[in-house]
Amino acid sequence: MSFPTTDRLKRWYERCEVHFALAGDGGEVRIGISPRVRFLADDRLALEVPAGVWRWVGELLRPGRWIALHPGELGAVKAPYQLKGLVALRDDPALVSELFPESDAPALVEVELRELFITKPGPEAGQRVDRWTVEELTEFERALGWLKEENL
């Protein structure tokens, strides 16, 4: 089954900075901000983690570790979705430059998407929807009025 990534969800993640959270083995949580994200496939994205942010989260940024992602801007939530997935690291400076020109990221962070949650306030909040089809998720967005031009 494919991961239900709508075009609208991709646009939100790729147009906004993305806040992400990592947890250590002892429960320590570190939060970072990625200025840019690029979808590589419906179930995989690349996350730009600049050198300064890397210094803060780097010890927790390991292959196979769970990461939670939410698009937004300081003081504003821009998308009512949270993605969760597993981290993979690629030491590929050329790919970092191709995806994120002028980035000082020391490596490419790829996230294999595994879970998708609704974070919109209301009865939908917390609902896990990654087992839905793209069509079901699109219909859900339509029913809530999210597919209006001003919401894209």
Side-chain angles (χ1 to χ4, degrees), residues 18-75:
V18 171
H19 302 163
F20 64 91
L22 298 154
D25 297 329
E28 173 189 10
V29 175
R30 296 234 174 132
I31 307 294
I33 296 177
S34 172
R36 295 179 287 185
V37 167
R38 297 291 175 262
F39 274 83
L40 304 172
D42 284 346
D43 63 350
R44 201 164 43 96
L45 59 78
L47 183 73
E48 180 186 15
V49 180
V53 177
W54 196 289
R55 283 190 289 279
W56 169 245
V57 301
E59 68 186 58
L60 300 182
L61 197 55
R62 293 190 214 134
R65 181 150 332 250
W66 280 92
I67 187 170
L69 309 158
H70 198 283
E73 295 171 349
L74 198 54

